[in-house]
Amino acid sequence: QLQIVESGGGLVQPGGSLRLSCVVSGITLNLTGIAWLRQAPGKERDGILCISIDGETTYYVESVKGRFTISRNVTQNTVFLQMNRLKPEDTATYYCAIEKPCSGLPAGYDSWGQGTQVTVSS
């Protein structure tokens, strides 16, 4: 049974950092890409970046390049999102989702968790 659990969100000041975790069960990371998405209040859920089966990163949002990094621990079946130099506009609920392959197409996301809230505010 596929299960995805995100954690690590919280309140952080502008310029700060957070590390989100996504524990996946029911499928191994060697068989699927994993994407991080976010949904700000009143907006649609959009993909941010994805890590492929081969461990390669694809960015879907220009504004996070150089600030957000996706990584994974295949042994722990966990994907991480390291977010640095956070901005108020990064405030959103963050989700990870199955995405194989990494495409950024809305129809390509399958199964995500309950999300974790990130609030960037002073």
Side-chain angles (χ1 to χ4, degrees):
Q1 181 178 353
L2 183 63
Q3 186 175 20
I4 297 172
V5 179
E6 304 96 336
S7 64
L11 173 64
V12 62
Q13 292 186 343
S17 298
L18 279 177
R19 189 192 196 205
L20 306 185
S21 298
C22 169
V23 179
V24 180
S25 57
I27 188 169
T28 65
L29 298 183
N30 287 328
L31 298 179
T32 184
I34 298 290
W36 281 97
L37 301 83
R38 65 185 179 186
Q39 185 170 21
K43 296 188 177 181
E44 294 185 352
R45 188 177 307 178
D46 293 322
I48 310 169
L49 72 174
C50 178
I51 188 165
S52 72
I53 292 173
D54 298 325
E56 297 295 320
T57 299
T58 301
Y59 286 90
Y60 302 142
V61 176
E62 191 70 23
S63 65
V64 306
K65 286 185 180 179
R67 300 189 299 123
F68 289 13
T69 303
I70 190 171
S71 62
R72 67 182 184 176
N73 183 316
V74 175
T75 301
Q76 296 179 350
N77 233 42
T78 302
V79 176
F80 304 98
L81 180 64
Q82 178 67 43
M83 305 187 294
N84 299 327
R85 303 199 306 277
L86 283 160
K87 304 175 181 180
E89 51 264 42
D90 294 319
T91 295
T93 302
Y94 283 71
Y95 304 86
C96 64
I98 300 293
E99 188 186 19
K100 46 179 179 177
C102 295
S103 67
L105 298 175
Y109 302 121
D110 181 26
S111 300
W112 46 79
Q114 81 291 345
T116 185
Q117 177 67 37
V118 172
T119 302
V120 185
S121 175
S122 55

